[in-house]
């Protein structure tokens, strides 16, 4: 137990934490101080919430394990092959991306900014070794390493919630020991006021694991700063209907709700991300200025503003202006000019125009894309997280993907839906393998298919990229769970090349396939509404997308995971075509092994995905892993013995899981099941039939005691392997005007150093942005 100055103390009994209030105490005072077990809130309403909640957090979900592996993204060879001009172009693009990444902090949680700034300040003033020596007598080696891993986790996820999984990260070092470290730091000696200000702002929420705080979510289901703390799903829906009325999309916006008229009414602020904060027009391309000001929608007051993240948006724009001096062609110049206009004005139309120039810029040596891109972390599924990347083309691997592109039109005809459900014309995209020089955001994917704007993807095209040095880093991992010894050996040997095949098919022919049925403002359909039949029902098409609707707005929070499931199924289905495997150099028995490992990887991932399901909210925290679990459940139900998942006792005597896959049934039963499911996924997506889609999808993604899934989840959590952290290089302009690339030591100390050097000064503008919005939470 621990007594607090507020007059209450904590007592644990089995799995229940009792909070005892002294007589007359309201619980509104400062939080108590009880180390890592301190979940005592500063507000009485939150205190009541906790007292009424019996579920205790599994700390292994929230503390980064001591054994977390690290890998460096190797880019020296690719960077060395660039000309001096290309290196400068690469550098300023990378700086634009890194300067924008702290936007993610402001999009994640109320405390992410002070946590990030505190840790940056501590390790910018002294090395981890120096700080470790200062606390050697009072902090154990494991405690200090936990602090370094927490720091690395906050840096690489750009916030204190995981970019992959959406669960909160808390320090593995107890709170009282954290204070010992801070008091021994150079920061304490040099600027105790700054330390006190930042620690005071984040010390309690840094360790708090109230049920609502354990994961990202909207309203009572989790934490998000895309919306003010008082927003519920109904509020998000109301503002979305306003956007639809105005013909706008929400990618670069946030929503803030203020209760007015004594609690009887609400006022909403819809804020666009932009460097500009004023309402005056920035020119003829500024389509945001006319929207600014007061609106009435459904009897509700909505005010449209801009200037969200303004200083950061200006930093991005200035670096893009520098990059523009070193472009290779007119398309790159036009692309950057459109992005600059977008980031300064808040115009999504200008970002779309930049995306069009990006698509037309075929085969660049230095590739880049940035903006408010993916909506995975918005609980409502329509607002984009900032990300930016710059990379160098890997010519050898890209040639394989270009061969796949050459085969794409033929492969599309093999997908299990009628021709009418495919795009009228396949617009051959660039498909390249890239070595990442910088990927700034909340995480680094293995492959990308962008842009995400429906009208561009459907009618003008897209690009696919496979991130070669990211895949290479993943191949280093020899840890495998839940497979037989024979499968483990094959899996470790071939999962790299098998995943390469899956990424290629997933991105190019998964995300790149399928038509959306629409009606425009004139009542004209983009399909023959009189003759096209629904192949699932045999009836005429009765639903489609109306003006102002997109796939994301129609499918909302289901959109990301449903689309990832469709793309994964396309990869599983088309990898059964041996001609596809030939493109990647796989022939004969070797090709059969690649096929087998690809399917095995998918069903095993479906089991691993249980980690990302939260029982008390009944929500999934990661779109891809939910999709893989859906595929596993489908194959278990319909596969006729194709897949097996059973609880066993491991060689260590602890509960374990064995996943099996009958190789002889993949080409027959497996193919038939995926074919039927994939047809439904596409038909419901094409027709915008959200009700049918959600009914189908939720059937397989529901996790309950029935079938023992929650019991299996406990085994998954007990045996989970920590996710690898990636250490990225940094570019620097030398005194002679040349640009160098610095690779960092493969250690947690090297990762911390990378971010400290990336953000080499205290950003008071970031702190001010945080302070300006704190009253919304």
């Amino acid at each position: 137990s621990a007594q607090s100055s507020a007059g209450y103390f904590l007592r644990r009994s089995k799995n229940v934490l009792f909070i005892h209030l002294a007589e007359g105490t309201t619980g509104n005072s400062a939080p108590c101080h009880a180390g890592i077990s301190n979940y005592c809130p500063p507000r009485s309403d939150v205190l009541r919430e906790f007292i009424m909640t019996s579920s205790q957090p599994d700390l292994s979900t929230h503390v980064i394990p001591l054994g977390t592996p690290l890998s460096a993204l190797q880019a020296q060879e690719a960077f060395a092959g660039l000309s001096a001009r290309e290196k400068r172009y690469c550098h300023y693009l990378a700086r634009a991306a890194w300067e924008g990444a702290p936007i993610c902090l402001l999009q994640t949680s109320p405390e992410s900014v002070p946590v990030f700034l505190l840790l940056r300040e501590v390790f910018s003033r002294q090395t981890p070794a120096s700080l470790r020596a200062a606390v050697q007598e009072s902090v154990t080696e494991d405690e200090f390493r936990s602090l370094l891993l927490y720091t690395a986790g906050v840096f690489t996820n750009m916030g204190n919630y995981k970019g992959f999984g959406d669960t909160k990260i808390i320090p593995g070092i107890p709170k009282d020991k954290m204070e010992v470290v801070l008091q021994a730091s150079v920061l304490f000696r040099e600027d105790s006021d700054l330390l006190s200000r930042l620690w005071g702002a984040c010390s309690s929420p840094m360790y708090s694991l109230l049920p609502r705080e354990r994961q990202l979510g909207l309203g009572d289901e989790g934490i998000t700063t895309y919306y003010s703390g008082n927003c519920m799903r109904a509020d998000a829906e109301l503002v979305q209907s306003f956007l639809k009325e105005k013909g706008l999309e929400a990618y670069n916006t946030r929503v803030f709700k203020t209760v007015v008229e004594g609690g009887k009414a609400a006022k909403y602020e819809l804020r666009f991300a932009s460097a500009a904060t004023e309402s005056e027009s920035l020119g003829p391309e500024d389509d945001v200025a006319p929207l600014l000001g007061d609106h009435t929608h459904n009897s509700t007051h909505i005010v449209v503003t801009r200037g969200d993240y303004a200083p950061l948006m200006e930093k991005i724009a200035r670096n893009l202006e520098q990059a523009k001096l070193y472009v290779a062609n007119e398309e790159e110049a036009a692309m950057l000019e459109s992005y600059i206009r977008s980031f300064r004005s808040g115009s999504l139309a200008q970002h779309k125009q930049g995306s069009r120039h990006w698509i037309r810029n075929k085969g660049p040596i230095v590739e880049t894309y940035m903006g408010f891109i993916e909506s995975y972390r918005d609980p409502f599924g329509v607002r984009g997280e900032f990300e930016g990347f710059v990379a160098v083309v890997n010519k050898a691997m890209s040639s394989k993907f270009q061969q796949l592109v050459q085969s794409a039109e033929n492969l599309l005809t093999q997908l299990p839906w009628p021709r009418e459900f495919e795009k009228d014309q396949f617009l051959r995209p660039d498909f390249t393998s890239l070595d990442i020089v910088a990927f700034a955001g909340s995480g680094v994917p293995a492959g990308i298919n962008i842009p995400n704007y429906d009208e561009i993807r459907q009618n003008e095209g897209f690009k696919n990229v496979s991130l070669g040095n990211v895949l290479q880093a993943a191949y280093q991992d020899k840890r495998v769970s839940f497979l037989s010894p024979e499968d483990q050996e094959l899996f470790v040997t071939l999962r790299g090349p098998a995943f390469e095949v899956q990424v290629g098919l997933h991105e190019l022919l998964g995300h790149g396939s399928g038509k959306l049925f629409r009606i425009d403002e004139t009542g004209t359909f983009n399909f023959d509404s009189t003759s096209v039949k629904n192949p699932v029902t045999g009836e005429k098409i009765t639903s489609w997308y109306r003006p102002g609707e997109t796939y994301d707005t129609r499918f909302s929070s289901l959109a990301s995971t449903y689309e990832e499931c469709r793309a994964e199924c396309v990869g599983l289905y088309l990898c059964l075509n041996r001609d596809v495997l030939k493109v990647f150099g796989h022939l004969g028995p070797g090709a059969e092994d690649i096929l087998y490992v690809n399917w095995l990887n998918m069903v095993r991932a479906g089991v691993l995905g249980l980690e990302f399901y939260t029982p008390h909210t009944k929500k999934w925290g990661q779109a891809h892993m939910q999709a893989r679990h859906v595929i596993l459940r489908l194959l278990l139900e319909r596969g006729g013995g194709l897949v097996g998942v059973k609880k066993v006792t491991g060689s260590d005597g602890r509960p374990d899981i064995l996943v099996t896959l009958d190789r002889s049934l993949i080409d027959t039963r497996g193919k038939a099941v995926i074919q039927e499911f994939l047809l439904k996924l596409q038909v419901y997506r094409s027709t915008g039939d959200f009700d049918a889609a959600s009914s189908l999808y939720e059937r397989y993604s529901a996790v309950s005691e029935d079938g023992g899934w929650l019991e299996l989840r406990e085994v998954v959590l007990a045996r989970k392997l920590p996710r690898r952290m990636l250490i990225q290089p940094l570019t620097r302009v030398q005194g002679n005007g040349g640009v160098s690339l610095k690779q960092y030591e493969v250690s947690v100390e090297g990762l911390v150093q990378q971010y400290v050097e990336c953000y080499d000064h205290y950003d008071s503008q970031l702190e001010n942005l945080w302070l300006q919005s704190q009253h919304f939470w």
Side-chain angles (χ1 to χ4, degrees), residues 276-323:
T277 57
E278 71 282 355
S279 59
E280 290 77 14
S281 175
L282 302 183
E285 300 89 359
D286 183 1
D287 58 339
V288 176
L291 292 166
L292 300 176
D294 296 301
H295 301 261
T296 299
H297 177 73
N298 291 351
S299 303
T300 302
H301 183 193
I302 296 177
V303 57
V304 178
T305 65
R306 66 179 170 190
D308 212 2
Y309 329 117
L312 305 181
M313 300 299 288
E314 181 59 27
K315 289 179 183 179
I316 301 168
R318 287 179 183 174
N319 277 285
L320 293 182
E321 285 179 335
Q322 290 296 309

Side-chain angles (χ1 to χ4, degrees), residues 683-739:
V683 168
Y684 300 153
R685 178 177 180 270
S686 286
T687 59
D689 191 345
F690 173 77
D691 290 339
S694 59
S695 176
L696 173 71
Y697 202 77
E698 289 170 6
R699 174 185 171 191
Y700 292 113
S701 63
V703 178
S704 65
E705 290 291 358
D706 296 340
W709 291 109
L710 288 178
E711 185 180 354
L712 289 177
R713 180 179 178 272
E714 294 302 314
V715 180
V716 169
L717 291 176
R719 291 190 175 271
K720 70 178 179 180
L721 302 170
R723 187 171 176 81
R724 185 173 296 273
M725 290 187 180
L726 297 177
I727 305 165
Q728 300 190 47
L730 289 180
T731 57
R732 283 283 187 264
V733 176
Q734 305 298 107
N736 61 3
V739 177

Side-chain angles (χ1 to χ4, degrees), residues 26-102:
T26 65
N28 287 310
S29 303
C32 56
H33 180 86
I36 199 168
S37 297
N38 173 22
Y39 309 125
C40 193
R43 301 197 327 268
S44 58
D45 58 330
V46 183
L47 181 61
R48 285 193 298 272
E49 175 190 352
F50 193 88
I51 292 172
M52 294 172 67
T53 304
S54 62
S55 65
Q56 293 299 297
D58 177 359
L59 293 185
S60 70
T61 300
H62 303 281
V63 175
I64 298 176
L66 293 174
T68 296
L70 299 104
S71 292
L73 290 183
Q74 301 296 337
Q76 306 100 312
E77 184 177 344
F79 189 78
L82 299 178
S83 68
R85 182 184 182 90
E86 290 164 344
K87 286 179 180 178
R88 291 189 184 96
Y89 182 61
C90 187
H91 167 73
Y92 287 110
L93 290 174
R95 283 314 308 165
W98 285 120
E99 294 286 13

Side-chain angles (χ1 to χ4, degrees), residues 379-445:
F380 191 62
V382 296
R383 291 177 165 79
E385 182 178 47
F386 180 86
E387 70 176 39
F389 76 83
V390 56
V392 181
V393 172
N394 181 319
K395 294 181 180 178
M397 182 54 66
S398 294
S399 65
K400 292 184 181 180
F401 290 128
Q402 284 304 313
Q403 290 179 53
L404 190 63
V405 171
Q406 297 301 319
S407 307
E409 286 158 294
N410 175 56
L411 292 172
L412 285 171
T413 66
Q414 299 179 33
L415 290 172
W417 49 77
R419 177 68 187 86
E420 294 84 0
F421 286 76
E422 194 47 70
K423 296 171 185 173
D424 298 333
Q425 180 183 2
F426 180 69
L427 302 168
R428 288 191 177 186
D430 252 12
F431 196 171
T432 51
S433 177
L434 305 176
D435 286 339
I436 286 293
V437 174
F439 204 114
S442 68
V444 184

Side-chain angles (χ1 to χ4, degrees), residues 81-293:
L82 299 178
S83 68
R85 182 184 182 90
E86 290 164 344
K87 286 179 180 178
R88 291 189 184 96
Y89 182 61
C90 187
H91 167 73
Y92 287 110
L93 290 174
R95 283 314 308 165
W98 285 120
E99 294 286 13
I103 290 171
C104 297
L105 299 168
L106 294 157
Q107 294 178 312
T108 300
S109 73
E111 69 276 4
S112 281
V113 168
V115 170
F116 177 88
L117 290 175
L118 174 68
L119 297 172
R120 197 217 74 87
E121 281 302 292
V122 167
F123 290 108
S124 68
R125 297 173 190 246
Q126 66 189 125
T127 64
S130 167
L131 185 56
R132 174 73 189 107
V135 295
Q136 194 164 342
E137 299 301 320
S138 50
V139 175
T140 69
E141 192 65 42
D142 282 353
E143 288 168 342
F144 192 78
R145 181 168 177 80
S146 287
L147 169 58
L148 290 181
L149 285 166
Y150 176 72
T151 302
V154 170
F155 287 171
T156 57
N157 291 280
M158 269 295 154
N160 63 337
Y161 284 75
K162 295 176 184 177
F164 192 91
D166 294 350
T167 52
K168 188 172 184 178
I169 310 166
I170 66 167
I173 179 174
K175 188 174 182 180
D176 57 343
K177 294 293 187 74
M178 174 74 92
E179 290 183 337
V180 169
V181 173
L182 294 176
Q183 290 170 5
S185 69
V186 171
L187 173 60
F188 181 77
R189 295 199 302 272
E190 292 183 348
D191 198 339
S192 60
D193 288 343
L194 176 61
L195 172 57
S196 177
R197 185 168 78 243
L198 293 175
W199 179 240
C202 69
S203 59
S204 291
M206 178 187 286
Y207 282 89
S208 180
L209 282 177
L210 287 167
R212 180 176 176 238
E213 298 169 340
R214 296 174 198 171
Q215 63 286 312
L216 297 179
L218 184 58
D220 296 332
E221 295 178 346
I223 293 295
T224 179
T225 47
Y226 284 109
Y227 309 85
S228 56
N230 56 357
C231 279
M232 302 294 175
R233 185 175 181 87
D235 300 301
E237 289 171 345
L238 186 149
V239 175
Q240 189 60 38
S241 69
F242 168 76
L243 284 163
K244 180 181 176 182
E245 178 184 90
K246 299 296 182 183
L248 300 172
E249 292 175 77
Y251 281 106
N252 61 340
T253 67
R254 288 198 291 172
V255 177
F256 302 94
K257 175 184 175 182
T258 304
V259 177
V260 294
E261 298 178 14
K264 296 179 181 179
K267 171 184 173 182
Y268 296 90
E269 179 189 359
L270 178 67
R271 190 186 299 175
F272 283 80
S274 70
T277 57
E278 71 282 355
S279 59
E280 290 77 14
S281 175
L282 302 183
E285 300 89 359
D286 183 1
D287 58 339
V288 176
L291 292 166
L292 300 176

Side-chain angles (χ1 to χ4, degrees), residues 554-591:
R554 192 73 170 260
F555 279 64
S556 186
S557 56
L558 185 68
S560 291
T561 184
Y562 187 90
E563 173 60 6
E564 293 304 334
C565 187
R566 191 182 72 92
E568 293 284 45
C569 286
V570 168
L572 288 179
Y573 187 73
L574 290 181
C575 83
L576 300 177
N577 184 323
R578 273 57 174 183
D579 289 336
V580 168
L581 300 179
K582 286 180 185 176
V583 170
F584 289 89
H586 306 305
L587 303 167

Side-chain angles (χ1 to χ4, degrees), residues 501-773:
V501 171
Q502 180 68 10
V503 167
L505 295 172
H506 174 114
E507 300 296 348
L508 175 65
L509 298 162
H511 292 315
S513 65
K515 180 175 182 175
L516 301 183
F517 290 175
R518 296 188 174 281
I519 186 172
D520 65 18
E521 292 83 353
T522 67
T524 303
F525 290 96
N526 69 343
F527 67 102
D528 189 340
S529 61
T530 62
S531 65
V532 176
K533 298 289 183 66
N534 183 322
V536 175
T537 65
E539 304 295 327
K540 288 181 63 175
I541 302 299
T542 57
S543 62
W544 44 78
Y545 295 86
R546 300 186 179 278
E549 287 185 328
T550 67
Y551 168 72
D552 279 340
T553 60
R554 192 73 170 260
F555 279 64
S556 186
S557 56
L558 185 68
S560 291
T561 184
Y562 187 90
E563 173 60 6
E564 293 304 334
C565 187
R566 191 182 72 92
E568 293 284 45
C569 286
V570 168
L572 288 179
Y573 187 73
L574 290 181
C575 83
L576 300 177
N577 184 323
R578 273 57 174 183
D579 289 336
V580 168
L581 300 179
K582 286 180 185 176
V583 170
F584 289 89
H586 306 305
L587 303 167
E592 300 305 310
D593 287 342
I594 290 289
L595 186 160
Y596 175 69
V597 169
N598 190 34
W599 277 64
L600 183 63
N601 188 32
M602 186 63 66
V603 295
R604 175 177 176 267
V607 173
L608 298 177
L610 288 167
E611 174 190 345
F612 302 94
Y613 177 78
T614 304
H616 81 269
T617 63
K618 294 182 170 57
K619 298 290 183 182
W620 285 87
Q622 215 293 319
H624 299 77
M625 299 309 282
Q626 181 180 359
R628 292 158 188 164
H629 184 75
V630 165
I631 292 170
L632 167 68
R633 295 279 292 277
L634 169 77
L635 294 175
L636 278 168
E637 179 186 279
R638 307 290 306 282
L642 169 70
V643 174
V645 176
K646 65 178 180 179
K647 187 176 178 181
V648 297
T649 300
S651 57
D652 57 2
R654 296 162 50 214
D656 205 342
I657 298 171
L658 179 63
V659 176
T660 56
L661 176 66
D662 188 334
R663 186 189 287 239
S664 68
L665 295 176
I666 295 176
D667 273 307
T668 53
R669 189 61 187 164
K671 180 179 180 179
V673 170
I674 292 295
Q675 178 176 312
E676 180 186 358
F677 187 62
L678 190 49
L679 172 65
K680 291 180 180 179
L681 291 176
Q682 180 56 47
V683 168
Y684 300 153
R685 178 177 180 270
S686 286
T687 59
D689 191 345
F690 173 77
D691 290 339
S694 59
S695 176
L696 173 71
Y697 202 77
E698 289 170 6
R699 174 185 171 191
Y700 292 113
S701 63
V703 178
S704 65
E705 290 291 358
D706 296 340
W709 291 109
L710 288 178
E711 185 180 354
L712 289 177
R713 180 179 178 272
E714 294 302 314
V715 180
V716 169
L717 291 176
R719 291 190 175 271
K720 70 178 179 180
L721 302 170
R723 187 171 176 81
R724 185 173 296 273
M725 290 187 180
L726 297 177
I727 305 165
Q728 300 190 47
L730 289 180
T731 57
R732 283 283 187 264
V733 176
Q734 305 298 107
N736 61 3
V739 177
S740 63
L741 185 77
K742 180 176 181 179
Q743 296 275 176
Y744 290 85
E745 174 186 291
V746 183
S747 66
V748 67
E749 291 84 358
L751 194 157
V752 170
Q753 182 187 2
Q754 175 223 321
Y755 276 85
V756 166
E757 293 185 6
C758 182
Y759 300 100
D760 58 3
H761 63 278
Y762 185 76
D763 195 338
S764 59
Q765 291 177 320
L766 178 60
E767 184 183 7
N768 288 335
L769 286 173
W770 168 72
L771 287 170
Q772 290 165 12
S773 62

